[in-house]
Amino acid sequence: MTPQNESKAIFRIWRGDATQGAFQDYTTEISSGMVVLDAVHKIQAEQANDLAVRWNCKAGKCGSCSAEINGSPKLMCMTRLNTLPLDQPVTVEPMHTFPRIKDLVTDVSWNYRVKKEIKKFQPRKPDAADGTWRMQQSDVDRVQEFRKCIECFLCQDVCHVLRDHHMHDQFIGPRFLVYAAALEMNPIDSADRIAELRDSCGIGLCNITKCCTKVCPEEIKITDNAIIPLKERVVDRFYDPLTRLFKMFG
Amino acid sequence: MPEYQTHEYDVLIVGAGGAGLRAAIEASAAGAKTGVVTKSLLGKAHTVMAEGGMAAAMGNVDDRDNWRVHFADTMRGGQYLNNSRMAEIHAKEAPARVRELEAWGAMFDRTKDGRILQRNFGGHRYPRLAHVGDRTGLEMIRTLQDHGVHQGIEFHMEATIVTLLKDGERCVGALAYDRERGQFRVLHAKAVVLATGGIGRAYQITSNSWEYSGDGHALAFHAGAALLDMEFVQFHPTGMVWPPSVKGILVTEGVRGEGGVLRNKEGKRFMFDDIPENYRSQTADTEDEGWRYTQGDKSARRPPELLTRDHVARCINREVKAGRGSPHGGVYLDIAWIKEKLPNSVEHIKKKLPSMYHQFKQLADLDITREPMEIGPTVHYVMGGVLVDAETQMSTVPGLFAAGECGAGLHGANRLGGNSLSDLLVFGKRAGEYAAKFAKENRAGQLPKDQIDAAARWALEPFDRGAAGVNPFAVQHALQEVMQNLVGIVRREEEMLQALEKIAELKQHAAKAGVTGNREYNTGWHTALDLNNLLTVSEIVTRAALERKESRGAQFRDDYPTKSEEWGKYNLRVQKGADGTVNIARAPVIPLTEEMRQVIEEQK
Ligand SMILES: Cc1cc2nc3c(=O)[nH]c(=O)nc-3n(C[C@H](O)[C@H](O)[C@H](O)COP(=O)(O)OP(=O)(O)OC[C@H]3O[C@@H](n4cnc5c(N)ncnc54)[C@H](O)[C@@H]3O)c2cc1C
Ligand code: SF4
Ligand code: SF4
Ligand code: FES
């Protein structure tokens, strides 16, 4: 690579709206430590003021900047350019699973509606007179893992049940199975969501491909720690005689 | 007049961070029909980024803690320019607000006996910050969001307020545009609560996101409300400095709370060199005492790294200026050294500071369990904001309330870490409660059609200028450079006068900003509109900083390097003049009640 090439890269960004669009190439200067979001911002400021992109924290904390970079679902703010082959154009496109709004921005409102349908947190009576509860750190550890979720919806984007089969009205997706797991495993929650997990949440549609776990920027073990234990609870409740069989093969 | 989509509310809340959500929950619980507007999606507001924790004197870790100590710490940290009544309310009510979060599903880290764990933070005498690792803000916003969506609140996600609407003296709603389609919405309300956060985007190096364009401050100013303490902009001592693209991103004070130390390139812990007189009796004499403090030894005093932010930031600035900085213009923050003390330090650091570990690993190729970080000051928070009544959070404009970072009073000249998240809860709740009360007691005001039309017309002007207009991003970058270089951590009269000239010039440019494309999710257009707020706020900060001829808290004047007793008697109050100018007047600091004076005495 010549020094000149080293400081420039091509970004192939999807531009368009809900009905149509196409990739467009932008060449921009790059510098040490840059992430994809920096490049997109530079292009926006210098070449395409109306380029639509979401971001807030630029540090992997808010889950706003989800996109597909060279085909993989990622946070733009946490994807360093030095992890990508820059001798070819870097493609940046919106998440596929959600309706497009403009450029890199998609309509994720479905996620908010789904969450609202899940039975909310209902604490048991407080343990102490001052209205507080006593919980050991070891009891909250696993719930805290789930509560690290930044709602980037990358797991929803990659899950084939939503992405390829479009079963948005039958399956809540990995993000909300994580949410349900956080509630179900909360030591002070008293609500019961097992029936709804089987019915309206469609947990049975997950066939444990683990694609969601692989893309989670928070490294939540979505499948192993959230979905499988929830599936076991559903099985224990509704298909008791089959439990042993499930465990043998699961 | 064109037709606008109109929504009717008792209470309209501008902002869905901690303050806005808490206000909304309270207003709606009081039976008010409540609407919330937010520039981002729900759950993405700045609050999500808060790391270290929220301060509340629950005394779970050290039972010597109580509201009196918290009150005195807050006042000392704010150099006694705080609204003492707000500081009192805050210290007394914060514990209940934190416990309430737990009742709504928050999962804090635990003490050995199963209660909410609390950690050390700068300027707090005892371990006081309830936290969840270093992602406390996420826990807070998610808890409020998940609770709030079941309370019958109406949310307008990705909508931005361009102006407040007034009927005579009273605020009666606001005009918004939605980002997705670029259409206007009229939000008619009996009471409006501003909870829009801060102004950090006026600077180049900042921990703040694009949302922090000072909208609430500017909206209130243009609606005739008074602002207070606008000269006080907090530089957090520890932002990332390398690589360039992450410059400014925050490194939580929690690193120092867990035993992290600051060193210059000579390896010296320079913070021991300069300990302010009023903190001397509370500060460790030796490195060992400081370490013991961070590990919970109640007989030890805190290390100088945990002095207040204004002081630590200036010491870092001094080391760098004196040529003792790190290669990229910062100093070293070292947590890896604790391996000398703890055999399992690597695991310990990852458990206590997971997102810091992650952040450095991914963005800087650096393993904080093995190597020191390079850090430097970054613009972080604005103490100044809308002047409000301590009890009700109502501004000087009837029907207009403010809470959270965009309100003023609690923090005085310098905010203690952790006091913001608790501020959001305590005063967010109060703002919601009193806004609902105001809505109950007052009939809906008249919608001012002329104001709506004028604002809508103004907002669309950048499209008329199109590609021939000025690039709004270029103006924003120029302004950030001006504020960073001329109204930064160390201030000087000539420089600030220069800044005012440049701001005036940039206002001319901003008035010519042009955008291409259509109204749908057009970031150029959004930036063009935000510019107006950034410029308004930048001018106000600069004028207030010029006016205060002393150094106190976050304001450090090279030309007036000492604290003056006389200036300690005043806050600076800012209001829009009849001709649109920025008027600044001295307002006497609210006197302490006898009881609070005694509390401060006894805690000295
Ligand atoms: C990296 C970082 C770490 C921090 N850590 C801590 C900590 O550990 N402890 C602590 O106490 N504090 C901390 N702070 C400070 C604290 O997080 C903020 O001060 C606080 O979250 C502000 O909350 P808020 O509710 O006032 O505003 P925000 O959470 O910023 O919310 C503002 C809301 O207003 C909306 N808004 C703004 N303008 C408009 C408009 N024109 N129209 C419509 N909506 C609008 C935004 O979209 C957003 O929803 C930290 C800050 C940062 C940046
Ligand atoms: S494991 Fe289940 S939820 Fe995750 S991607 Fe596969 S099918 Fe979807
Ligand atoms: S579970 Fe992980 S991938 Fe899914 S939304 Fe949450 S953070 Fe994103
Ligand atoms: S901008 Fe917040 S996660 Fe990327």
mmCIF file with all atom_site columns, all heavy atoms in Angstrom, chain A residues 66 146 148-156 174-175 178 212 215-220 222, ligand 3:
data_model
loop_
_atom_site.group_PDB
_atom_site.id
_atom_site.type_symbol
_atom_site.label_atom_id
_atom_site.label_alt_id
_atom_site.label_comp_id
_atom_site.label_asym_id
_atom_site.label_entity_id
_atom_site.label_seq_id
_atom_site.pdbx_PDB_ins_code
_atom_site.Cartn_x
_atom_site.Cartn_y
_atom_site.Cartn_z
_atom_site.occupancy
_atom_site.B_iso_or_equiv
_atom_site.pdbx_formal_charge
_atom_site.auth_seq_id
_atom_site.auth_comp_id
_atom_site.auth_asym_id
_atom_site.auth_atom_id
_atom_site.pdbx_PDB_model_num
ATOM   1   N  N   . SER A 1 66  ? -26.429 0.933   15.517 1.00 0.00 ? 66  SER A N   1
ATOM   2   C  CA  . SER A 1 66  ? -26.393 -0.393  14.910 1.00 0.00 ? 66  SER A CA  1
ATOM   3   C  C   . SER A 1 66  ? -26.499 -0.315  13.387 1.00 0.00 ? 66  SER A C   1
ATOM   4   O  O   . SER A 1 66  ? -27.293 0.457   12.864 1.00 0.00 ? 66  SER A O   1
ATOM   5   C  CB  . SER A 1 66  ? -27.561 -1.231  15.435 1.00 0.00 ? 66  SER A CB  1
ATOM   6   O  OG  . SER A 1 66  ? -27.552 -1.210  16.838 1.00 0.00 ? 66  SER A OG  1
ATOM   7   N  N   . PHE A 1 146 ? -28.097 -9.851  32.176 1.00 0.00 ? 146 PHE A N   1
ATOM   8   C  CA  . PHE A 1 146 ? -29.144 -9.518  31.200 1.00 0.00 ? 146 PHE A CA  1
ATOM   9   C  C   . PHE A 1 146 ? -29.418 -8.020  31.153 1.00 0.00 ? 146 PHE A C   1
ATOM   10  O  O   . PHE A 1 146 ? -29.772 -7.471  30.120 1.00 0.00 ? 146 PHE A O   1
ATOM   11  C  CB  . PHE A 1 146 ? -30.445 -10.262 31.529 1.00 0.00 ? 146 PHE A CB  1
ATOM   12  C  CG  . PHE A 1 146 ? -30.270 -11.755 31.619 1.00 0.00 ? 146 PHE A CG  1
ATOM   13  C  CD1 . PHE A 1 146 ? -30.990 -12.502 32.551 1.00 0.00 ? 146 PHE A CD1 1
ATOM   14  C  CD2 . PHE A 1 146 ? -29.386 -12.415 30.774 1.00 0.00 ? 146 PHE A CD2 1
ATOM   15  C  CE1 . PHE A 1 146 ? -30.833 -13.876 32.633 1.00 0.00 ? 146 PHE A CE1 1
ATOM   16  C  CE2 . PHE A 1 146 ? -29.228 -13.795 30.848 1.00 0.00 ? 146 PHE A CE2 1
ATOM   17  C  CZ  . PHE A 1 146 ? -29.950 -14.526 31.792 1.00 0.00 ? 146 PHE A CZ  1
ATOM   18  N  N   . LYS A 1 148 ? -27.393 -5.714  31.285 1.00 0.00 ? 148 LYS A N   1
ATOM   19  C  CA  . LYS A 1 148 ? -26.372 -4.974  30.549 1.00 0.00 ? 148 LYS A CA  1
ATOM   20  C  C   . LYS A 1 148 ? -26.853 -4.589  29.156 1.00 0.00 ? 148 LYS A C   1
ATOM   21  O  O   . LYS A 1 148 ? -26.212 -3.814  28.457 1.00 0.00 ? 148 LYS A O   1
ATOM   22  C  CB  . LYS A 1 148 ? -25.112 -5.831  30.363 1.00 0.00 ? 148 LYS A CB  1
ATOM   23  C  CG  . LYS A 1 148 ? -24.278 -6.007  31.606 1.00 0.00 ? 148 LYS A CG  1
ATOM   24  C  CD  . LYS A 1 148 ? -22.892 -6.543  31.256 1.00 0.00 ? 148 LYS A CD  1
ATOM   25  C  CE  . LYS A 1 148 ? -22.940 -7.820  30.444 1.00 0.00 ? 148 LYS A CE  1
ATOM   26  N  NZ  . LYS A 1 148 ? -21.682 -8.543  30.338 1.00 0.00 ? 148 LYS A NZ  1
ATOM   27  N  N   . CYS A 1 149 ? -27.968 -5.185  28.739 1.00 0.00 ? 149 CYS A N   1
ATOM   28  C  CA  . CYS A 1 149 ? -28.459 -4.973  27.375 1.00 0.00 ? 149 CYS A CA  1
ATOM   29  C  C   . CYS A 1 149 ? -28.641 -3.491  27.064 1.00 0.00 ? 149 CYS A C   1
ATOM   30  O  O   . CYS A 1 149 ? -29.292 -2.775  27.805 1.00 0.00 ? 149 CYS A O   1
ATOM   31  C  CB  . CYS A 1 149 ? -29.785 -5.697  27.193 1.00 0.00 ? 149 CYS A CB  1
ATOM   32  S  SG  . CYS A 1 149 ? -30.578 -5.257  25.647 1.00 0.00 ? 149 CYS A SG  1
ATOM   33  N  N   . ILE A 1 150 ? -28.076 -3.038  25.949 1.00 0.00 ? 150 ILE A N   1
ATOM   34  C  CA  . ILE A 1 150 ? -28.185 -1.627  25.563 1.00 0.00 ? 150 ILE A CA  1
ATOM   35  C  C   . ILE A 1 150 ? -29.258 -1.410  24.491 1.00 0.00 ? 150 ILE A C   1
ATOM   36  O  O   . ILE A 1 150 ? -29.349 -0.335  23.902 1.00 0.00 ? 150 ILE A O   1
ATOM   37  C  CB  . ILE A 1 150 ? -26.828 -1.075  25.070 1.00 0.00 ? 150 ILE A CB  1
ATOM   38  C  CG1 . ILE A 1 150 ? -26.271 -1.902  23.903 1.00 0.00 ? 150 ILE A CG1 1
ATOM   39  C  CG2 . ILE A 1 150 ? -25.816 -1.028  26.215 1.00 0.00 ? 150 ILE A CG2 1
ATOM   40  C  CD1 . ILE A 1 150 ? -24.986 -1.346  23.293 1.00 0.00 ? 150 ILE A CD1 1
ATOM   41  N  N   . GLU A 1 151 ? -30.055 -2.420  24.223 1.00 0.00 ? 151 GLU A N   1
ATOM   42  C  CA  . GLU A 1 151 ? -31.142 -2.330  23.237 1.00 0.00 ? 151 GLU A CA  1
ATOM   43  C  C   . GLU A 1 151 ? -30.653 -1.808  21.874 1.00 0.00 ? 151 GLU A C   1
ATOM   44  O  O   . GLU A 1 151 ? -31.225 -0.890  21.298 1.00 0.00 ? 151 GLU A O   1
ATOM   45  C  CB  . GLU A 1 151 ? -32.326 -1.522  23.793 1.00 0.00 ? 151 GLU A CB  1
ATOM   46  C  CG  . GLU A 1 151 ? -32.894 -2.215  25.026 1.00 0.00 ? 151 GLU A CG  1
ATOM   47  C  CD  . GLU A 1 151 ? -34.327 -1.839  25.415 1.00 0.00 ? 151 GLU A CD  1
ATOM   48  O  OE1 . GLU A 1 151 ? -34.751 -0.722  25.105 1.00 0.00 ? 151 GLU A OE1 1
ATOM   49  O  OE2 . GLU A 1 151 ? -34.998 -2.689  26.040 1.00 0.00 ? 151 GLU A OE2 1
ATOM   50  N  N   . CYS A 1 152 ? -29.592 -2.426  21.413 1.00 0.00 ? 152 CYS A N   1
ATOM   51  C  CA  . CYS A 1 152 ? -29.092 -2.086  20.077 1.00 0.00 ? 152 CYS A CA  1
ATOM   52  C  C   . CYS A 1 152 ? -29.875 -2.840  19.004 1.00 0.00 ? 152 CYS A C   1
ATOM   53  O  O   . CYS A 1 152 ? -29.823 -2.506  17.842 1.00 0.00 ? 152 CYS A O   1
ATOM   54  C  CB  . CYS A 1 152 ? -27.616 -2.450  19.980 1.00 0.00 ? 152 CYS A CB  1
ATOM   55  S  SG  . CYS A 1 152 ? -27.303 -4.217  20.119 1.00 0.00 ? 152 CYS A SG  1
ATOM   56  N  N   . PHE A 1 153 ? -30.553 -3.905  19.419 1.00 0.00 ? 153 PHE A N   1
ATOM   57  C  CA  . PHE A 1 153 ? -31.382 -4.730  18.528 1.00 0.00 ? 153 PHE A CA  1
ATOM   58  C  C   . PHE A 1 153 ? -30.590 -5.454  17.445 1.00 0.00 ? 153 PHE A C   1
ATOM   59  O  O   . PHE A 1 153 ? -31.155 -5.906  16.451 1.00 0.00 ? 153 PHE A O   1
ATOM   60  C  CB  . PHE A 1 153 ? -32.532 -3.906  17.921 1.00 0.00 ? 153 PHE A CB  1
ATOM   61  C  CG  . PHE A 1 153 ? -33.351 -3.175  18.960 1.00 0.00 ? 153 PHE A CG  1
ATOM   62  C  CD1 . PHE A 1 153 ? -33.638 -1.826  18.827 1.00 0.00 ? 153 PHE A CD1 1
ATOM   63  C  CD2 . PHE A 1 153 ? -33.824 -3.838  20.093 1.00 0.00 ? 153 PHE A CD2 1
ATOM   64  C  CE1 . PHE A 1 153 ? -34.385 -1.145  19.786 1.00 0.00 ? 153 PHE A CE1 1
ATOM   65  C  CE2 . PHE A 1 153 ? -34.572 -3.169  21.060 1.00 0.00 ? 153 PHE A CE2 1
ATOM   66  C  CZ  . PHE A 1 153 ? -34.841 -1.824  20.904 1.00 0.00 ? 153 PHE A CZ  1
ATOM   67  N  N   . LEU A 1 154 ? -29.291 -5.587  17.638 1.00 0.00 ? 154 LEU A N   1
ATOM   68  C  CA  . LEU A 1 154 ? -28.490 -6.357  16.673 1.00 0.00 ? 154 LEU A CA  1
ATOM   69  C  C   . LEU A 1 154 ? -28.867 -7.832  16.705 1.00 0.00 ? 154 LEU A C   1
ATOM   70  O  O   . LEU A 1 154 ? -28.862 -8.508  15.680 1.00 0.00 ? 154 LEU A O   1
ATOM   71  C  CB  . LEU A 1 154 ? -26.995 -6.184  16.957 1.00 0.00 ? 154 LEU A CB  1
ATOM   72  C  CG  . LEU A 1 154 ? -26.405 -4.810  16.619 1.00 0.00 ? 154 LEU A CG  1
ATOM   73  C  CD1 . LEU A 1 154 ? -24.980 -4.688  17.138 1.00 0.00 ? 154 LEU A CD1 1
ATOM   74  C  CD2 . LEU A 1 154 ? -26.439 -4.565  15.110 1.00 0.00 ? 154 LEU A CD2 1
ATOM   75  N  N   . CYS A 1 155 ? -29.209 -8.330  17.906 1.00 0.00 ? 155 CYS A N   1
ATOM   76  C  CA  . CYS A 1 155 ? -29.605 -9.738  17.994 1.00 0.00 ? 155 CYS A CA  1
ATOM   77  C  C   . CYS A 1 155 ? -30.920 -9.963  17.254 1.00 0.00 ? 155 CYS A C   1
ATOM   78  O  O   . CYS A 1 155 ? -31.113 -10.983 16.597 1.00 0.00 ? 155 CYS A O   1
ATOM   79  C  CB  . CYS A 1 155 ? -29.710 -10.179 19.453 1.00 0.00 ? 155 CYS A CB  1
ATOM   80  S  SG  . CYS A 1 155 ? -30.833 -9.167  20.439 1.00 0.00 ? 155 CYS A SG  1
ATOM   81  N  N   . GLN A 1 156 ? -31.806 -8.971  17.345 1.00 0.00 ? 156 GLN A N   1
ATOM   82  C  CA  . GLN A 1 156 ? -33.079 -9.078  16.625 1.00 0.00 ? 156 GLN A CA  1
ATOM   83  C  C   . GLN A 1 156 ? -32.795 -9.085  15.110 1.00 0.00 ? 156 GLN A C   1
ATOM   84  O  O   . GLN A 1 156 ? -33.444 -9.785  14.343 1.00 0.00 ? 156 GLN A O   1
ATOM   85  C  CB  . GLN A 1 156 ? -33.988 -7.877  16.942 1.00 0.00 ? 156 GLN A CB  1
ATOM   86  C  CG  . GLN A 1 156 ? -34.240 -7.602  18.418 1.00 0.00 ? 156 GLN A CG  1
ATOM   87  C  CD  . GLN A 1 156 ? -35.192 -8.594  19.043 1.00 0.00 ? 156 GLN A CD  1
ATOM   88  O  OE1 . GLN A 1 156 ? -34.807 -9.738  19.305 1.00 0.00 ? 156 GLN A OE1 1
ATOM   89  N  NE2 . GLN A 1 156 ? -36.417 -8.200  19.309 1.00 0.00 ? 156 GLN A NE2 1
ATOM   90  N  N   . PRO A 1 174 ? -34.738 -12.469 20.382 1.00 0.00 ? 174 PRO A N   1
ATOM   91  C  CA  . PRO A 1 174 ? -33.798 -12.697 21.481 1.00 0.00 ? 174 PRO A CA  1
ATOM   92  C  C   . PRO A 1 174 ? -33.731 -11.549 22.494 1.00 0.00 ? 174 PRO A C   1
ATOM   93  O  O   . PRO A 1 174 ? -33.632 -11.797 23.697 1.00 0.00 ? 174 PRO A O   1
ATOM   94  C  CB  . PRO A 1 174 ? -32.453 -12.894 20.775 1.00 0.00 ? 174 PRO A CB  1
ATOM   95  C  CG  . PRO A 1 174 ? -32.655 -12.503 19.344 1.00 0.00 ? 174 PRO A CG  1
ATOM   96  C  CD  . PRO A 1 174 ? -34.104 -12.643 19.060 1.00 0.00 ? 174 PRO A CD  1
ATOM   97  N  N   . ARG A 1 175 ? -33.775 -10.292 22.016 1.00 0.00 ? 175 ARG A N   1
ATOM   98  C  CA  . ARG A 1 175 ? -33.688 -9.187  22.979 1.00 0.00 ? 175 ARG A CA  1
ATOM   99  C  C   . ARG A 1 175 ? -34.764 -9.318  24.046 1.00 0.00 ? 175 ARG A C   1
ATOM   100 O  O   . ARG A 1 175 ? -34.503 -9.115  25.232 1.00 0.00 ? 175 ARG A O   1
ATOM   101 C  CB  . ARG A 1 175 ? -33.829 -7.830  22.268 1.00 0.00 ? 175 ARG A CB  1
ATOM   102 C  CG  . ARG A 1 175 ? -34.298 -6.690  23.170 1.00 0.00 ? 175 ARG A CG  1
ATOM   103 C  CD  . ARG A 1 175 ? -33.340 -6.464  24.356 1.00 0.00 ? 175 ARG A CD  1
ATOM   104 N  NE  . ARG A 1 175 ? -33.836 -5.578  25.387 1.00 0.00 ? 175 ARG A NE  1
ATOM   105 C  CZ  . ARG A 1 175 ? -33.754 -5.825  26.691 1.00 0.00 ? 175 ARG A CZ  1
ATOM   106 N  NH1 . ARG A 1 175 ? -33.251 -6.962  27.136 1.00 0.00 ? 175 ARG A NH1 1
ATOM   107 N  NH2 . ARG A 1 175 ? -34.173 -4.950  27.559 1.00 0.00 ? 175 ARG A NH2 1
ATOM   108 N  N   . VAL A 1 178 ? -34.286 -12.120 26.494 1.00 0.00 ? 178 VAL A N   1
ATOM   109 C  CA  . VAL A 1 178 ? -33.344 -11.677 27.529 1.00 0.00 ? 178 VAL A CA  1
ATOM   110 C  C   . VAL A 1 178 ? -34.074 -10.832 28.582 1.00 0.00 ? 178 VAL A C   1
ATOM   111 O  O   . VAL A 1 178 ? -33.888 -10.997 29.782 1.00 0.00 ? 178 VAL A O   1
ATOM   112 C  CB  . VAL A 1 178 ? -32.179 -10.865 26.908 1.00 0.00 ? 178 VAL A CB  1
ATOM   113 C  CG1 . VAL A 1 178 ? -31.367 -10.149 27.979 1.00 0.00 ? 178 VAL A CG1 1
ATOM   114 C  CG2 . VAL A 1 178 ? -31.279 -11.768 26.086 1.00 0.00 ? 178 VAL A CG2 1
ATOM   115 N  N   . CYS A 1 212 ? -27.625 -14.930 17.694 1.00 0.00 ? 212 CYS A N   1
ATOM   116 C  CA  . CYS A 1 212 ? -27.839 -13.723 18.484 1.00 0.00 ? 212 CYS A CA  1
ATOM   117 C  C   . CYS A 1 212 ? -26.675 -13.499 19.450 1.00 0.00 ? 212 CYS A C   1
ATOM   118 O  O   . CYS A 1 212 ? -26.150 -12.398 19.579 1.00 0.00 ? 212 CYS A O   1
ATOM   119 C  CB  . CYS A 1 212 ? -29.161 -13.814 19.238 1.00 0.00 ? 212 CYS A CB  1
ATOM   120 S  SG  . CYS A 1 212 ? -29.392 -15.340 20.154 1.00 0.00 ? 212 CYS A SG  1
ATOM   121 N  N   . VAL A 1 215 ? -23.492 -11.880 18.004 1.00 0.00 ? 215 VAL A N   1
ATOM   122 C  CA  . VAL A 1 215 ? -23.401 -10.462 17.634 1.00 0.00 ? 215 VAL A CA  1
ATOM   123 C  C   . VAL A 1 215 ? -23.585 -9.510  18.815 1.00 0.00 ? 215 VAL A C   1
ATOM   124 O  O   . VAL A 1 215 ? -23.408 -8.312  18.678 1.00 0.00 ? 215 VAL A O   1
ATOM   125 C  CB  . VAL A 1 215 ? -24.443 -10.065 16.549 1.00 0.00 ? 215 VAL A CB  1
ATOM   126 C  CG1 . VAL A 1 215 ? -24.210 -10.856 15.277 1.00 0.00 ? 215 VAL A CG1 1
ATOM   127 C  CG2 . VAL A 1 215 ? -25.867 -10.219 17.059 1.00 0.00 ? 215 VAL A CG2 1
ATOM   128 N  N   . CYS A 1 216 ? -23.930 -10.040 19.978 1.00 0.00 ? 216 CYS A N   1
ATOM   129 C  CA  . CYS A 1 216 ? -24.263 -9.138  21.092 1.00 0.00 ? 216 CYS A CA  1
ATOM   130 C  C   . CYS A 1 216 ? -23.022 -8.350  21.540 1.00 0.00 ? 216 CYS A C   1
ATOM   131 O  O   . CYS A 1 216 ? -22.048 -8.928  22.006 1.00 0.00 ? 216 CYS A O   1
ATOM   132 C  CB  . CYS A 1 216 ? -24.817 -9.918  22.276 1.00 0.00 ? 216 CYS A CB  1
ATOM   133 S  SG  . CYS A 1 216 ? -25.137 -8.837  23.692 1.00 0.00 ? 216 CYS A SG  1
ATOM   134 N  N   . PRO A 1 217 ? -23.056 -7.032  21.407 1.00 0.00 ? 217 PRO A N   1
ATOM   135 C  CA  . PRO A 1 217 ? -21.875 -6.239  21.777 1.00 0.00 ? 217 PRO A CA  1
ATOM   136 C  C   . PRO A 1 217 ? -21.626 -6.246  23.279 1.00 0.00 ? 217 PRO A C   1
ATOM   137 O  O   . PRO A 1 217 ? -20.518 -5.950  23.722 1.00 0.00 ? 217 PRO A O   1
ATOM   138 C  CB  . PRO A 1 217 ? -22.212 -4.829  21.282 1.00 0.00 ? 217 PRO A CB  1
ATOM   139 C  CG  . PRO A 1 217 ? -23.691 -4.778  21.197 1.00 0.00 ? 217 PRO A CG  1
ATOM   140 C  CD  . PRO A 1 217 ? -24.142 -6.176  20.903 1.00 0.00 ? 217 PRO A CD  1
ATOM   141 N  N   . GLU A 1 218 ? -22.627 -6.576  24.056 1.00 0.00 ? 218 GLU A N   1
ATOM   142 C  CA  . GLU A 1 218 ? -22.465 -6.633  25.504 1.00 0.00 ? 218 GLU A CA  1
ATOM   143 C  C   . GLU A 1 218 ? -22.024 -8.017  25.971 1.00 0.00 ? 218 GLU A C   1
ATOM   144 O  O   . GLU A 1 218 ? -21.905 -8.274  27.166 1.00 0.00 ? 218 GLU A O   1
ATOM   145 C  CB  . GLU A 1 218 ? -23.770 -6.238  26.197 1.00 0.00 ? 218 GLU A CB  1
ATOM   146 C  CG  . GLU A 1 218 ? -24.040 -4.744  26.137 1.00 0.00 ? 218 GLU A CG  1
ATOM   147 C  CD  . GLU A 1 218 ? -23.027 -3.933  26.943 1.00 0.00 ? 218 GLU A CD  1
ATOM   148 O  OE1 . GLU A 1 218 ? -22.762 -4.304  28.096 1.00 0.00 ? 218 GLU A OE1 1
ATOM   149 O  OE2 . GLU A 1 218 ? -22.511 -2.937  26.413 1.00 0.00 ? 218 GLU A OE2 1
ATOM   150 N  N   . GLU A 1 219 ? -21.825 -8.892  25.015 1.00 0.00 ? 219 GLU A N   1
ATOM   151 C  CA  . GLU A 1 219 ? -21.390 -10.255 25.305 1.00 0.00 ? 219 GLU A CA  1
ATOM   152 C  C   . GLU A 1 219 ? -22.305 -10.986 26.285 1.00 0.00 ? 219 GLU A C   1
ATOM   153 O  O   . GLU A 1 219 ? -21.870 -11.737 27.152 1.00 0.00 ? 219 GLU A O   1
ATOM   154 C  CB  . GLU A 1 219 ? -19.933 -10.262 25.799 1.00 0.00 ? 219 GLU A CB  1
ATOM   155 C  CG  . GLU A 1 219 ? -19.008 -9.763  24.693 1.00 0.00 ? 219 GLU A CG  1
ATOM   156 C  CD  . GLU A 1 219 ? -17.549 -9.616  25.119 1.00 0.00 ? 219 GLU A CD  1
ATOM   157 O  OE1 . GLU A 1 219 ? -17.221 -9.982  26.253 1.00 0.00 ? 219 GLU A OE1 1
ATOM   158 O  OE2 . GLU A 1 219 ? -16.763 -9.134  24.284 1.00 0.00 ? 219 GLU A OE2 1
ATOM   159 N  N   . ILE A 1 220 ? -23.587 -10.723 26.150 1.00 0.00 ? 220 ILE A N   1
ATOM   160 C  CA  . ILE A 1 220 ? -24.570 -11.456 26.950 1.00 0.00 ? 220 ILE A CA  1
ATOM   161 C  C   . ILE A 1 220 ? -24.711 -12.835 26.318 1.00 0.00 ? 220 ILE A C   1
ATOM   162 O  O   . ILE A 1 220 ? -24.857 -12.951 25.098 1.00 0.00 ? 220 ILE A O   1
ATOM   163 C  CB  . ILE A 1 220 ? -25.930 -10.717 26.943 1.00 0.00 ? 220 ILE A CB  1
ATOM   164 C  CG1 . ILE A 1 220 ? -25.765 -9.323  27.539 1.00 0.00 ? 220 ILE A CG1 1
ATOM   165 C  CG2 . ILE A 1 220 ? -26.990 -11.513 27.686 1.00 0.00 ? 220 ILE A CG2 1
ATOM   166 C  CD1 . ILE A 1 220 ? -26.977 -8.426  27.366 1.00 0.00 ? 220 ILE A CD1 1
ATOM   167 N  N   . ILE A 1 222 ? -26.841 -14.879 25.378 1.00 0.00 ? 222 ILE A N   1
ATOM   168 C  CA  . ILE A 1 222 ? -28.292 -14.834 25.198 1.00 0.00 ? 222 ILE A CA  1
ATOM   169 C  C   . ILE A 1 222 ? -28.883 -16.239 25.171 1.00 0.00 ? 222 ILE A C   1
ATOM   170 O  O   . ILE A 1 222 ? -29.841 -16.544 25.890 1.00 0.00 ? 222 ILE A O   1
ATOM   171 C  CB  . ILE A 1 222 ? -28.649 -14.097 23.884 1.00 0.00 ? 222 ILE A CB  1
ATOM   172 C  CG1 . ILE A 1 222 ? -28.059 -12.684 23.897 1.00 0.00 ? 222 ILE A CG1 1
ATOM   173 C  CG2 . ILE A 1 222 ? -30.155 -14.070 23.670 1.00 0.00 ? 222 ILE A CG2 1
ATOM   174 C  CD1 . ILE A 1 222 ? -28.267 -11.908 22.600 1.00 0.00 ? 222 ILE A CD1 1
HETATM 175 S  S1  . SF4 C 2 .   ? -29.162 -8.553  23.963 1.00 0.00 ? 3   SF4 C S1  1
HETATM 176 FE FE1 . SF4 C 2 .   ? -27.208 -7.798  23.168 1.00 0.00 ? 3   SF4 C FE1 1
HETATM 177 S  S2  . SF4 C 2 .   ? -27.507 -7.715  20.956 1.00 0.00 ? 3   SF4 C S2  1
HETATM 178 FE FE2 . SF4 C 2 .   ? -29.519 -7.908  21.853 1.00 0.00 ? 3   SF4 C FE2 1
HETATM 179 S  S3  . SF4 C 2 .   ? -30.268 -5.827  22.038 1.00 0.00 ? 3   SF4 C S3  1
HETATM 180 FE FE3 . SF4 C 2 .   ? -29.303 -6.348  23.975 1.00 0.00 ? 3   SF4 C FE3 1
HETATM 181 S  S4  . SF4 C 2 .   ? -27.200 -5.656  23.777 1.00 0.00 ? 3   SF4 C S4  1
HETATM 182 FE FE4 . SF4 C 2 .   ? -28.053 -5.688  21.717 1.00 0.00 ? 3   SF4 C FE4 1
#
